[in-house]
Amino acid sequence: MLRSTLSTDEWLLTESGFDVAKANYFETVFTVGNGLLGTRGSLEEGHLGELSGTYLNGVFDSHDSPVIDLVNAPDWLSVAVRVDGVRLDVQSCTVVSHHRALDMRHGILWRETVFEDDEGRRTRLETLRFASMADRRLVGLRVQITPENHTSEVTVDSAIDGRRRNLERLPVYPEGTTFEPEIRWEKWARTKHLVEVGAASELDAIYLQMRTVDSGIHIGYAATTQASKTAIRQSTDRSFERISRTGTYEVGLGETLRIDKLVTVATSRDIDADSTPLRDSCFDALWARRAEGFDACREASSRVWERRWTDSDCEIIGDADATQAMRFNIYHLLIAANGDDNTVSIGAKSLSGEGYRGHVFWDTEILMMPFFTYTQPETARALLHYRHHTLDGARELSRSNGTRGARYAWESADTGREECPQWTQDGANRFWTREEELHVSADVAYAITTYVAATNDTALLLDFGAEIVFETARFWADRVEPAGERYVLKTVIGPDEFHSHVDNNAFTNRMVEWHLGQANTIWSWLKTEHPDRFAEITDAIALTPTEVSRWHDISEWIVEPVVSPEGIIEQFDGYFERDEIPIAEWDRNDMPRYPAGYNHFNCETTKLLKQPDVVMLMYLLPDEFDAEAKRSNFEYYESRTLHKSSLSPAIHAIMGIEVGDFTRALKYFTRSAFVDLHDNQGNTHEGMHAASTGGTWQTLVCGFGGFRVLNGHMSFTPWLPEQWEEIRFRLQWRGSTVRVAVRHNEIELGLDAASGTTEPIMVCGREYTLSSQRDSVIAYSRAEVGIAI
Ligand code: IFM
């Protein structure tokens, strides 16, 4: 039984019974991946209404689509089984039973389905698939077929299928039209991004090479299938954009036929296809892996998974569901990032679906990056490197808007060009984010400095970080406008995307001020500590001291937001004059509904927020606002926030805990942690809410664990819900590992570092010293030190 290879139950996410209406949801949540690729959890044989896809990180193409797409790449999974000519699938047979389990600990998806055909033949189909973490170019699928009440000829067709299309848009149908799940996606226009280059077979292995039409990326897959018994017939079948290997076997009653499929993937992005033909690269890797065998490949991947979990796991003792949800979110973060590739990041839907067409937003730097910085710093470094890889695109974007330096695109793909659509898919509403949501440039600088503070990896600044911080600072210096003695930043969108064309958005202005301050600090540090590198960088970008002193001037004089007598920071100029529209209805998840007559595109005139803006600022710059400012602003803005972005609940959970609003904080934690597990936005079929996965991790660590970096030191101000006994997590900090266990009245901290290492920390505002010699148990009381309870 393949199931016996799975981890214990608490690491499993399960499905029982096949429900076509839920199939697309499971396709997303059961995605397997390794950062190089993600493969949705579709049935190997397919079904009517499937939304299947494999996505290769960085493989984008814009042919035949209005906006560049992350390409729905050739399908490696395809296996069709016929029993005496009858295809085993949910349309051709009755599904007697169907079970699947995602083993999050080892990145394995297991399945067992019993089919019965019209002749009453019952056949058990078991599969197990993985995307190797040990060799990212490798994916594997084991298929086991067992006739339960018959002896039959079983034919297995194992294919590489290049006939893939991306979803485009649904043509206009009368409002409220619903489609049967089986035909839902057939209604959509589709985009073709791939053309065949060629196919081949070598021994019993098959090979298909496709090319993206506009971006010209070659994609090669080689596949081998090994059977547990000798076939009575075998063939290689070749059709346009598809190649398969078919074997027919005589399988007796109760006998199990096993087919192991190993597939290697290479693209011209990864290798120099002129010097090593893609085909050779795929076959060489395939023969090597095949020689090791399926089990060895799977075990090698599992070992890497174990190591990743050692650093990343979060446990909530006393709440098994919450622990499972944490692991689910972390699993999806781990399969989204490729620490071996400096040219890719993580899209808003990771590699788990086509939502947002695979584009990269500030979600990576602000919501996901803390997880990587504090648990997998080498991956965080690679993710930051993506912003250097796309710096020329950002420079071009800035130039095209008449400013110098570099401005990161609101939606970025392979080159850093702006890829954000101007219009909603139905053409009815205009998005202004591509023109106005500028804060992403400061967010990138924020992620860089946070990473450096956490890792002491100042080499990153020398390699590429300083250049990014300087070039983006330069953009701000041109984008602000002098207004008397001050500088203003007009016509922007802050994180709250309900309000466009606003002036002096508090979040953006304050982040610009902070960014320019950091740019100054890094400039001085580089000049003093690394004069040669300083000369190289400043020469290369022709940066002058006059420019740098202007940064200082702007950071001193950029307009400060209006603060009401009650201490509320005005979100942007004139926000306080907008209409006060109360939120009066909540949905079944206890999340606000739009007030009657309002939607995403007409909240402009109101004080309603889509997601945190001032509250987000207070989270990102914790040193700069006092407890009372955080409390009053949280109260004011939380009551006006509709959470129409999945980024919103996590930040409200964290800030809710900080200000002592625990009931709301818990509600927001649940909303964030389960957004995809419970599909409570109703769109999980489009892909995971990747920002929310990172936000959920931050909720546990920075919310319940109360972790912040204050004045350069680790600080913890924890709070636990009554029903939880303890939370456990680990943080990577400047080359050491800090083990954290938070209980109701004490926090236990261990420092795994070279003997004699010490680390100053704060717990609830009091100073302590951690030592690598022994773990510390520190009693804490928020009340005692006047922290909100
Ligand atoms: O980046 C987010 C944005 O903040 C809200 N709308 C969705 C985007 C992608 O997740």
Side-chain angles (χ1 to χ4, degrees):
M1 296 285 275
L2 286 183
R3 202 183 198 292
S4 60
T5 53
L6 299 185
S7 303
T8 47
D9 283 358
E10 70 268 20
W11 285 94
L12 304 183
L13 190 68
T14 57
E15 175 194 28
S16 270
F18 180 79
D19 176 356
V20 66
K22 288 201 187 136
N24 299 148
Y25 156 82
F26 277 109
E27 287 175 322
T28 295
V29 299
F30 282 171
T31 298
V32 294
N34 55 24
L36 184 140
L37 58 79
T39 295
R40 284 169 61 80
S42 307
L43 304 181
E44 291 80 2
E45 69 279 13
H47 79 275
L48 282 183
E50 71 172 5
L51 203 49
S52 60
T54 286
Y55 304 95
L56 306 177
N57 212 343
V59 175
F60 287 94
D61 187 72
S62 50
H63 175 71
D64 197 22
S65 61
V67 184
I68 198 165
D69 275 327
L70 181 66
V71 172
N72 193 325
D75 178 24
W76 63 272
L77 201 58
S78 170
V79 168
V81 178
R82 283 192 167 73
V83 173
D84 280 345
V86 180
R87 199 173 190 277
L88 299 189
D89 63 44
V90 298
Q91 276 83 34
S92 316
C93 295
T94 304
V95 176
V96 177
S97 62
H98 175 72
H99 298 282
R100 291 200 290 175
L102 176 71
D103 178 349
M104 299 184 282
R105 187 161 176 75
H106 295 128
I108 287 170
L109 179 63
W110 164 86
R111 164 195 187 182
E112 183 189 80
T113 309
V114 177
F115 289 105
E116 184 173 298
D117 65 20
D118 288 349
E119 307 289 319
R121 281 176 296 230
R122 278 190 178 207
T123 310
R124 189 168 69 237
L125 176 73
E126 276 187 284
T127 67
L128 190 145
R129 76 177 74 150
F130 68 97
S132 175
M133 275 288 185
D135 175 356
R136 287 193 156 101
R137 297 162 309 166
L138 177 74
V139 281
L141 171 70
R142 171 166 284 174
V143 181
Q144 293 191 166
I145 303 135
T146 312
E148 293 201 328
N149 60 357
H150 58 98
T151 291
S152 298
E153 259 196 12
V154 174
T155 301
V156 181
D157 175 90
S158 162
I160 306 172
D161 195 344
R163 301 168 306 175
R164 308 298 301 167
R165 298 283 188 275
N166 279 70
L167 282 184
E168 184 42 63
R169 54 170 289 193
L170 183 68
V172 180
Y173 274 87
E175 220 180 298
T177 307
T178 52
F179 300 104
E180 294 298 319
E182 285 89 350
I183 58 151
R184 185 172 172 196
W185 306 115
E186 288 175 22
K187 297 286 175 187
W188 283 54
R190 293 193 180 231
T191 299
K192 178 173 170 59
H193 288 299
L194 296 169
V195 286
E196 189 189 299
V197 176
S201 54
E202 269 185 30
L203 305 174
D204 64 350
I206 51 177
Y207 175 76
L208 180 71
Q209 188 166 328
M210 305 289 290
R211 179 175 59 78
T212 57
V213 182
D214 266 359
S215 51
I217 300 169
H218 286 249
I219 302 167
Y221 288 15
T224 166
T225 40
Q226 286 183 290
S228 56
K229 70 184 296 189
T230 311
I232 48 178
R233 279 190 302 282
Q234 281 200 86
S235 61
T236 298
D237 304 307
R238 172 85 172 83
S239 56
F240 183 57
E241 296 182 338
R242 184 181 194 275
I243 186 163
S244 67
R245 183 84 183 150
T246 306
T248 301
Y249 309 83
E250 191 69 46
V251 189
L253 172 71
E255 187 190 354
T256 294
L257 168 68
R258 168 181 289 187
I259 307 283
D260 285 342
K261 181 175 187 179
L262 288 174
V263 184
T264 51
V265 178
T267 77
S268 54
R269 286 187 73 257
D270 320 311
I271 62 163
D272 176 4
D274 290 336
S275 57
T276 317
L278 228 46
R279 171 180 161 162
D280 293 355
S281 168
C282 287
F283 274 122
D284 290 350
L286 189 69
W287 301 137
R289 298 286 90 93
R290 184 182 146 130
E292 290 166 14
F294 186 93
D295 286 318
C297 292
R298 178 180 55 73
E299 281 159 17
S301 174
S302 295
R303 282 194 295 276
V304 178
W305 270 103
E306 298 265 354
R307 289 203 292 278
R308 296 262 198 283
W309 279 112
T310 303
D311 294 327
S312 328
D313 194 18
C314 289
E315 272 186 278
I316 301 170
I317 314 299
D319 192 336
D321 286 351
T323 298
Q324 191 199 41
M326 285 308 304
R327 288 178 173 160
F328 172 73
N329 283 287
I330 294 168
Y331 166 83
H332 275 279
L333 284 162
L334 290 173
I335 65 169
N338 184 355
D340 294 331
D341 187 343
N342 281 340
T343 67
V344 295
S345 184
I346 304 176
K349 299 284 177 188
S350 61
L351 299 169
S352 66
E354 290 178 22
Y356 290 116
R357 298 172 184 268
H359 298 175
V360 176
F361 295 69
W362 71 315
D363 304 27
T364 314
E365 280 75 19
I366 299 300
L367 276 297
M368 298 179 235
M369 193 64 85
F371 166 78
F372 292 105
T373 295
Y374 293 112
T375 73
Q376 325 276 323
E378 57 310 319
T379 303
R381 196 181 213 277
L383 291 168
L384 291 171
H385 208 292
Y386 164 79
R387 293 298 188 175
H388 190 251
H389 172 70
T390 53
L391 186 58
D392 279 343
R395 286 186 173 115
E396 179 48 39
L397 180 61
S398 186
R399 209 169 19 247
S400 68
N401 286 293
T403 45
R404 285 173 300 166
R407 172 191 154 191
Y408 283 106
W410 179 242
E411 294 189 26
S412 176
D414 50 351
T415 62
R417 276 188 316 252
E418 181 59 81
E419 308 290 2
C420 180
Q422 279 190 321
W423 297 90
T424 48
Q425 276 196 331
D426 58 6
N429 289 291
R430 176 75 156 85
F431 288 124
W432 293 99
T433 44
R434 63 178 283 139
E435 285 89 358
E436 298 180 5
E437 196 153 357
L438 307 178
H439 61 82
V440 55
S441 294
D443 305 330
V444 171
Y446 181 86
I448 289 172
T449 57
T450 312
Y451 165 87
V452 174
T455 57
N456 268 349
D457 177 12
T458 49
L460 178 131
L461 291 175
L462 305 179
D463 292 350
F464 62 85
E467 188 184 353
I468 292 179
V469 174
F470 295 160
E471 284 288 63
T472 41
R474 210 173 216 177
F475 157 67
W476 291 125
D478 274 8
R479 182 59 171 71
V480 297
E481 296 166 43
E485 279 196 334
R486 309 213 61 119
Y487 294 92
V488 291
L489 192 48
K490 291 184 161 177
T491 328
V492 302
I493 299 178
D496 160 34
E497 294 170 337
F498 282 170
H499 296 96
S500 36
H501 326 307
V502 304
D503 297 341
N504 295 315
N505 165 247
F507 178 94
T508 312
N509 280 28
R510 188 65 195 82
M511 289 299 282
V512 169
E513 178 186 334
W514 173 89
H515 180 168
L516 295 178
Q518 291 295 313
N520 248 287
T521 308
I522 293 170
W523 191 83
S524 306
W525 168 80
L526 205 57
K527 191 165 180 239
T528 320
E529 303 291 326
H530 301 277
D532 294 346
R533 186 67 188 127
F534 171 82
E536 277 169 20
I537 296 173
T538 51
D539 281 359
I541 62 172
L543 181 63
T544 64
T546 321
E547 270 187 85
V548 178
S549 69
R550 186 152 177 275
W551 296 349
H552 179 69
D553 191 48
I554 296 168
S555 71
E556 294 274 297
W557 291 100
I558 191 164
V559 159
E560 299 282 344
V562 169
V563 181
S564 76
E566 297 76 31
I568 308 306
I569 294 176
E570 188 175 40
Q571 191 177 299
F572 52 80
D573 290 354
Y575 171 85
F576 287 150
E577 276 78 60
R578 304 272 164 133
D579 297 340
E580 188 76 82
I581 307 292
I583 298 171
E585 276 188 80
W586 285 260
D587 65 17
R588 64 183 166 88
N589 300 305
D590 205 17
M591 286 291 128
R593 288 190 203 281
Y594 283 108
Y598 287 95
N599 61 52
H600 189 287
F601 294 97
N602 67 4
C603 286
E604 296 272 8
T605 55
T606 75
K607 289 199 178 90
L608 294 168
L609 273 66
K610 176 176 177 182
Q611 63 198 87
D613 202 300
V614 170
V615 171
M616 179 61 120
L617 176 65
M618 294 183 155
Y619 174 49
L620 295 188
L621 302 179
D623 279 339
E624 311 205 1
F625 301 92
D626 63 29
E628 181 46 30
K630 289 177 187 170
R631 191 200 56 75
S632 54
N633 280 276
F634 179 85
E635 247 174 42
Y636 179 89
Y637 283 111
E638 190 273 341
S639 65
R640 291 163 176 81
T641 302
L642 291 176
H643 309 289
K644 295 300 175 191
S645 158
S646 67
L647 281 65
S648 189
I651 305 306
H652 279 90
I654 298 167
M655 291 308 286
I657 292 169
E658 178 157 355
V659 306
D661 191 342
F662 303 123
T663 311
R664 283 201 178 82
L666 260 179
K667 179 180 85 173
Y668 289 126
F669 166 71
T670 306
R671 169 71 177 180
S672 178
F674 291 91
V675 65
D676 286 310
L677 272 178
H678 292 172
D679 193 11
N680 56 24
Q681 300 249 113
N683 62 355
T684 294
H685 59 267
E686 290 177 7
M688 290 289 298
H689 294 88
S692 181
T693 62
T696 298
W697 182 86
Q698 292 189 60
T699 301
L700 192 89
V701 171
C702 308
F704 299 107
F707 170 62
R708 299 281 189 285
V709 177
L710 296 178
N711 296 321
H713 298 313
M714 302 183 97
S715 160
F716 298 88
T717 307
W719 174 82
L720 288 194
E722 237 172 73
Q723 60 275 28
W724 294 1
E725 284 167 38
E726 180 177 316
I727 59 171
R728 292 187 199 145
F729 56 86
R730 286 173 184 227
L731 300 172
Q732 299 300 309
W733 179 255
R734 300 181 182 166
S736 309
T737 301
V738 179
R739 287 174 281 107
V740 185
V742 176
R743 294 181 276 273
H744 283 279
N745 301 311
E746 62 183 25
I747 176 166
E748 186 172 344
L749 296 155
L751 181 67
D752 295 335
S755 165
T757 308
T758 57
E759 189 63 52
I761 57 145
M762 293 205 293
V763 175
C764 286
R766 292 189 168 146
E767 289 173 13
Y768 300 89
T769 302
L770 285 189
S771 155
S772 59
Q773 311 298 99
R774 65 181 178 286
D775 292 0
S776 311
V777 178
I778 300 168
Y780 72 87
S781 154
R782 288 169 69 109
E784 213 175 86
V785 288
I787 297 170
I789 46 169

